[in-house]
Amino acid sequence: ALESITVGVDVWHGQRDSLAPAAWGEQLARRLPRAELHLLVEEGHFLALTHSRRILARLAPHGKQGLGGRGRV
């Protein structure tokens, strides 16, 4: 179950996504205990293409060690 995932998770979703409604991203973030929702108002389904630097910058602090085993996937 999603509720058993204890590592930090970034949920990225575009408010204008016509394939997956923003409510799905919001629901996913609510079910993951340590989720942080990034709901981008002016973006659609392919926001990873236009915001790749921002997304990767969120991952960069973790480096090769990832989350250092702090949690369960």
Side-chain angles (χ1 to χ4, degrees), residues 9 12-13 17-18 21-22 25 33-34 38 40 45 48 63-64:
V9 176
W12 295 86
H13 208 100
D17 191 330
S18 61
R34 293 186 52 213
H38 304 271
L40 305 181
H45 192 71
K64 292 181 181 179

Side-chain angles (χ1 to χ4, degrees), residues 62 65-71:
H62 303 298
Q65 295 178 19
L67 294 171
R70 293 176 287 160

Side-chain angles (χ1 to χ4, degrees), residues 1 15 33:
Q15 183 71 38

